[in-house]
Amino acid sequence: MPSINTIGRCVACAAVSALFIGGCANKTPAGGSGAPPPPGAIIVGEYGSMTGDQSTFGVSTDNGVKLAVADVNKAGGVNGRQLSVVLHDDEGKSDKTSTVATLLATQDKPTAVIGEVASGRSTIAAPVFNAAKIPMISPSSTNPKVTTIGPYIFRVCFIDPFQGTAAAKFAIDDLHAKKAAIMTDSTNQYSIGLSQFFAKSFTANGGTVVKTANYTTSDATFESQLTEIKAAAPDILYVPGYYNNIGPIAKQAHQVGLTVPLLGGDGWDSPKLIEGAGGPGGALEGSYFTDHYSVDNPDPHVQNFVAEYKAAYNAGAPDALAALGYDAVGVLAAAMKSVAAPSDGNYDSDDYRAKLRDAIAATKDYVGVTGIITLGPDRNAVKPAVVLQIHGAGYVYKTTIAP
Ligand code: PHE
């Protein structure tokens, strides 16, 4: 049996109330137990990095998930039944991801599952859920492989062949870069893929990749790679890694005298990104990354979400993870509402899950806070990317790149 410390159970409250905020929403499961799901609740499983090196990925996603669940419940739930989230912390680790995926699939009886953020971890868990015929929706895993694992695996975000192309296009058209260096986390499936897609597109559009270098997630010093990159005199340095490595890389780039703009992908997005690079005005000032949405989008749907999020969590603006977690639950709930209530009242049967799978697959023109979501035959969404520039303590919206 899982210990209470490895499972966070959170009854998403009927309203975004004080109980919701103080009770569970902002706590990691390692620190809180929470109440068991209420009788009759429909269980939504969730797994993510609530602790560890990429903890903001899990925490932000969970905040978005819980906010969406609270909205659904406030509006009467699904067929009059409340949704309840069962959350597992995978600590951002591969072995732990297999463990919690198996626990979710075999013990928690979820109707469907939300997770993971990191493509590598989604790729580990997806075969478990696909084999168990439990629909899984990744909010934010962008590596193409994830949804190829099987018919029960979906995502509500764009994929990296597009994200890499968007970054290359921006580098060439807006930054007028001709020479790029690329630094890849060779232990991260997402980073490897995005580096390749960027290089392909940058070269196809007339640019030259003058240097490539690798690092690993656990590295702390990057000076030797950065010194070699500097010697190759690139116009930009593309580093599609996760935020926890980007701060140190940016700082050390400055230390070796490499001052060209850094360009990254969605993996940079974290409330901890800028502080890792020495804070506002530090080593990342002026650098750019591609992402899923901008908090500055004036669309009222986006602004309502931003306001609701800030009020619910007494926090800063939601990052893309929170927005995608919110949209993943939105898509799931809309699909549930389009399926007839099971006559046996059983929301975790193969029969109901198969119908739900078909309904998720049929998602069309769902209006999310990260854009309009239509799932294609490959179970991926096709959506625009935004480019954000780091300025002070936050990001400035630069442009939108259409698929
Ligand atoms: N796209 C990243 C991956 O697939 C995860 C991510 C999404 C990180 C959005 C931050 C923001 O690994």
Side-chain angles (χ1 to χ4, degrees), residues 211-236:
K211 180 79 198 160
T212 58
N214 286 333
Y215 66 95
T216 73
T217 308
S218 54
D219 286 350
T221 57
F222 308 92
E223 274 124 344
S224 66
Q225 295 99 313
L226 291 163
T227 303
E228 286 177 28
I229 287 168
K230 183 175 179 251
D235 302 318
I236 55 140

Side-chain angles (χ1 to χ4, degrees), residues 108-127:
D108 295 316
K109 303 198 187 310
T111 296
V113 170
I114 306 290
E116 230 261 14
V117 167
S119 291
R121 293 191 289 274
S122 284
T123 301
I124 290 169

Side-chain angles (χ1 to χ4, degrees), residues 181-183 213 215 220-231 234-239 245-263 268 276-278 282-285 287:
I182 304 175
M183 223 171 137
Y215 66 95
T221 57
F222 308 92
E223 274 124 344
S224 66
Q225 295 99 313
L226 291 163
T227 303
E228 286 177 28
I229 287 168
K230 183 175 179 251
D235 302 318
I236 55 140
L237 170 56
Y238 189 55
V239 203
N245 293 127
I246 300 305
I249 288 173
K251 279 205 254 181
Q252 292 173 35
H254 276 215
Q255 279 155 18
V256 304
L258 180 66
T259 53
V260 297
L262 267 52
L263 181 59
W268 282 26
L284 276 172
E285 179 72 17
S287 285

